[in-house]
Amino acid sequence: MLKVEDLRTRYGHIEALRGVSLEVKAGEIVTLIGANGAGKTTLLKTLCGVLSPATGRITYAGERLERRPPAQRVRRGLVLVPEGRMILRRMTVHENLLMGTYARSDLHRVADELEEVYTTFPILRERRRASASVLSGGEQQMLAIGRALMAKPRLLMLDEPSLGLAPLVVKEIFRIIGSLRQQRITILLVEQNALQALKLADRGYVMELGRIVMADTAKELLHSERLGEAYLGGSPKGSPATESAPAEPSLDGPAARAGG
Amino acid sequence: MFLEQVVNGIFLGSMYALVAIAFTLIMGIFGMLNIAVGEVFMLGAFFGMSLIMAGVPFHFALPLAMIGSGVVSLVIERLSFRPLRHAPLLVPLLSTIGFSILLQNLANIVWGTERLEFPGVAALPDLKLGSMVIPSVQFLVLGSAVALILALDLFIQRTRVGRGMRAVAENLETSSILGVEPNGIILVTFFVSGLLAGASGVFFGLTFSLIAPTIGLEVGLKGIAAMVVGGLGNMRGGIIGGLLIGITETLSVAYISASYRDVFVYSLLFLALIIRPEGILGTVQQEKGRA
Ligand SMILES: Nc1ncnc2c1ncn2[C@@H]1O[C@H](COP(=O)(O)OP(=O)(O)O)[C@@H](O)[C@H]1O
Ligand SMILES: [Mg+2]
């Protein structure tokens, strides 16, 4: 469904993506894990079109996307739930959901999705007239996901949906992401919460310093020793210490392999 | 007498409010001033004058003058903003100052530098409220201004494109992730800004009967002051700021001296900046955000 080949994206002279290749097949849940600053957000922003790659190919549903503006990608069902939720705080909950339909041309059928989203997230129905700024972090994440669902995604990309949320809320968010599979939505899930993400996913990629350094089934990755040390070890939530130091030694070998 | 002056101030203020909103719309999207809004206002007045003198009835002349002003506003976007989209904010600001001078000189060439008479459109009888006489023209002006502001509010609050405008103003990147095409929204915003400034120009001509290419600078500065007094980038603030400045101006003309009126108007601006740098409605907005 989505194929990314040798994608490179720069911020000025900093190369944040150094030739990323990955694939997501229809119906899969694929997770991309990696420490802070690895380039995960940059990849998703390049995929949704707010950043332009220097080189590389993005093929989605048989079509090259890298020069298409974001709106056209949304219209084709490639939808991002951005890092930090990016709720429109000056709008109501209901208006935020309507913004999710902005790119759609079948606006007469929006009512069905709205009902569906309100059924999935009853709290949003309760607060639909409230300003989005009064929502708690977990509610904001639900709103961000609900808003993306209003766009009728075929491939939903989520950027660290569990960031900064309480464990119970994280569990609920992961449950909802898992349930999207029944709606035949393909998922690319970016997480630092590697353990939970891998438990949910079919396959996973590990990213370090702008490169994919490991790719395998989620099951294999969960039992992989190297990954265990760097991302899953001792504390599954990933204590800050694991975010930089232990990741480094593993860089050379697999990075060379992935690059070759 | 006092009440009559306050009412006059409200009429004048409604024109300033329209100009303030015209500034505010673009401020909301770019976070910067389009100085040339004043000149769009001025051209609106001249378009209206030329149309009415050509025999076009007022109810057609007003929308046509507004559309003409909207188109001028689009030209400003195309020549003064679009090529400089990625330049530091000061650059497009300077370029709109240059554009203002250009437009004013263009008006000098087409209509001359002398004050010209704006044709009256007496249609309705004047209204008498006790001892107060309110000319029908003022009602026409206030009624149209209120209708325009309400229509704009409805457009921004209730329509898809209006939501897109608010989304772009709040966060450009988020809006494009959602599939809003910023270029389209920017064009709509400049056009609407031009419509309002142009309407205000026609109202100004009707009210004062004399127009000259210099009115753009004069009224433009007051529109900016109204926007700042009311709270930057906030439509309701622009309305309140416009009314306050209009009332201050008419009261100081009536009770002190016409030659000092600008002293009072700009003192109000400085006072507002000192007491409430965030504008009258600035905090209200913030509290709403936090609550
Ligand atoms: N707007 C930006 N300008 C310059 N550098 C950036 C910007 N955003 C991210 N970077 C850099 O790009 C790299 C990858 O960042 P990011 O994609 O946000 O990583 P992740 O999402 O994996 O934490 C980091 O080194 C970061 O400092
Ligand atoms: Mg990130």
Side-chain angles (χ1 to χ4, degrees):
Chain A
M1 176 167 223
L2 174 74
K3 195 167 180 193
V4 177
E5 292 163 280
D6 196 33
L7 205 60
R8 288 168 193 272
T9 302
R10 297 196 181 93
Y11 297 103
H13 59 272
I14 306 168
E15 193 165 48
L17 296 186
R18 309 176 181 191
V20 170
S21 302
L22 56 78
E23 195 172 353
V24 182
K25 299 198 184 74
E28 274 189 316
I29 298 185
V30 172
T31 185
L32 173 67
I33 55 189
N36 232 338
K40 308 180 296 297
T41 299
T42 305
L43 174 63
L44 294 195
K45 282 187 179 173
T46 310
L47 292 179
C48 83
V50 295
L51 292 176
S52 310
T55 61
R57 279 184 295 279
I58 303 170
T59 315
Y60 169 79
E63 193 185 5
R64 291 281 291 276
L65 279 193
E66 57 285 352
R67 298 283 162 241
R68 292 206 180 270
Q72 290 190 17
R73 304 188 197 195
V74 174
R75 211 164 287 142
R76 285 164 172 71
L78 184 63
V79 180
L80 172 68
V81 179
E83 184 175 49
R85 348 240 194 258
M86 295 299 166
I87 290 306
L88 293 163
R89 301 173 60 86
R90 296 188 216 149
M91 292 190 188
T92 65
V93 168
H94 182 73
E95 286 174 331
N96 266 279
L97 291 177
L98 288 182
M99 281 308 297
T101 66
Y102 199 90
R104 279 174 59 174
S105 45
D106 56 338
L107 288 175
H108 55 283
R109 293 174 58 188
V110 160
D112 298 344
E113 270 85 36
L114 194 61
E115 189 52 36
E116 227 169 90
V117 167
Y118 279 145
T119 310
T120 315
F121 304 104
I123 183 76
L124 296 184
R125 189 197 298 273
E126 247 171 68
R127 322 201 84 180
R128 65 183 182 280
R129 304 214 177 284
S131 160
S133 61
V134 307
L135 298 184
S136 71
E139 291 164 353
Q140 285 191 14
Q141 188 60 61
M142 291 179 196
L143 181 55
I145 296 174
R147 187 177 65 181
L149 292 177
M150 294 298 292
K152 275 200 165 174
R154 293 171 58 207
L155 173 56
L156 186 65
M157 306 183 285
L158 299 108
D159 197 347
E160 303 209 33
S162 74
L163 193 73
L165 301 182
L168 265 179
V169 184
V170 172
K171 217 177 141 195
E172 171 70 4
I173 296 280
F174 272 94
R175 187 190 63 74
I176 288 163
I177 295 171
S179 76
L180 294 178
R181 201 199 280 265
Q182 273 93 64
Q183 300 177 31
R184 279 191 267 137
I185 298 172
T186 307
I187 288 170
L188 175 57
L189 172 65
V190 161
E191 265 299 336
Q192 282 193 53
N193 198 333
L195 186 66
Q196 300 227 39
L198 285 171
K199 279 184 181 163
L200 185 70
D202 304 308
R203 289 190 304 116
Y205 291 90
V206 181
M207 198 171 189
E208 277 173 15
L209 298 176
R211 289 193 178 92
I212 301 291
V213 294
M214 284 178 85
D216 215 326
T217 62
K219 207 178 257 168
E220 287 299 321
L221 287 174
L222 266 174
H223 296 109
S224 131
E225 232 168 72
R226 264 196 39 237
L227 194 67
E229 276 170 32
Y231 300 96
L232 308 169
S235 78
K237 270 185 212 154
S239 70
T242 61
E243 283 177 6
S244 52
E248 307 264 14
S250 64
L251 186 69
D252 297 338
R257 195 175 33 148
Chain B
M1 173 65 186
F2 176 75
L3 203 62
E4 205 168 320
Q5 292 308 330
V6 172
V7 171
N8 280 334
I10 291 174
F11 291 124
L12 184 60
S14 68
M15 288 176 242
Y16 292 156
L18 285 175
V19 176
I21 294 171
F23 277 111
T24 298
L25 286 171
I26 292 167
M27 189 78 166
I29 295 243
F30 287 101
M32 60 148 293
L33 274 176
N34 169 16
I35 299 277
V37 164
E39 260 48 58
V40 176
F41 159 91
M42 177 271 292
L43 287 174
F46 277 98
F47 290 157
M49 178 195 77
S50 299
L51 284 164
I52 293 171
M53 293 204 329
V56 179
F58 179 75
H59 56 274
F60 287 128
L62 174 63
L64 284 176
M66 286 169 65
I67 291 170
S69 309
V71 171
V72 172
S73 189
L74 288 179
V75 172
I76 294 170
E77 192 278 335
R78 189 71 191 76
L79 298 182
S80 228
F81 279 81
R82 179 118 26 127
L84 304 170
R85 193 71 63 78
H86 302 289
L89 281 184
L90 195 60
V91 178
L93 176 67
L94 290 175
S95 117
T96 64
I97 292 176
F99 217 88
S100 298
I101 297 168
L102 181 79
L103 289 176
Q104 197 178 326
N105 281 306
L106 223 59
N108 282 339
I109 293 167
V110 178
W111 289 285
T113 52
E114 296 295 309
R115 287 185 170 256
L116 293 181
E117 192 166 338
F118 195 97
V121 283
L124 308 157
D126 296 348
L127 186 87
K128 290 196 178 73
L129 273 177
S131 63
M132 233 162 85
V133 181
I134 302 173
S136 66
V137 163
Q138 296 200 330
F139 269 102
L140 192 64
V141 166
L142 187 65
S144 313
V146 169
L148 281 174
I149 290 172
L150 287 179
L152 176 67
D153 195 54
L154 219 59
F155 175 65
I156 290 184
Q157 298 300 328
R158 295 265 178 268
T159 68
R160 174 172 165 275
V161 175
R163 278 192 293 274
M165 286 170 71
R166 283 188 285 151
V168 170
E170 180 166 348
N171 189 321
L172 188 65
E173 184 173 294
T174 303
S175 68
S176 40
I177 285 173
L178 293 170
V180 182
E181 276 146 323
N183 284 340
I185 294 293
I186 287 166
L187 288 179
V188 171
T189 305
F190 269 83
F191 188 68
V192 172
S193 162
L195 291 180
L196 295 181
S200 182
V202 174
F203 299 155
F204 184 94
L206 274 182
T207 309
F208 296 102
S209 314
L210 284 174
I211 57 175
T214 48
I215 59 172
L217 185 63
E218 237 172 84
V219 176
L221 285 178
K222 285 184 184 142
I224 294 173
M227 172 174 70
V228 175
V229 168
L232 280 183
N234 170 331
M235 224 174 91
R236 296 202 176 107
I239 297 171
I240 293 179
L243 292 180
L244 270 179
I245 288 194
I247 292 169
T248 307
E249 186 172 331
T250 46
L251 288 183
S252 53
V253 169
Y255 292 105
I256 300 156
S257 153
S259 41
Y260 285 119
R261 66 177 180 205
D262 285 352
V263 174
F264 286 94
V265 167
Y266 292 108
S267 301
L268 183 68
L269 174 63
F270 285 122
L271 210 65
L273 283 176
I274 291 165
I275 301 174
R276 263 181 174 279
E278 69 281 12
I280 290 173
L281 287 187
T283 30
V284 176
Q285 275 302 93
Q286 257 182 9
E287 270 161 16
K288 246 200 243 151
R290 245 188 280 118

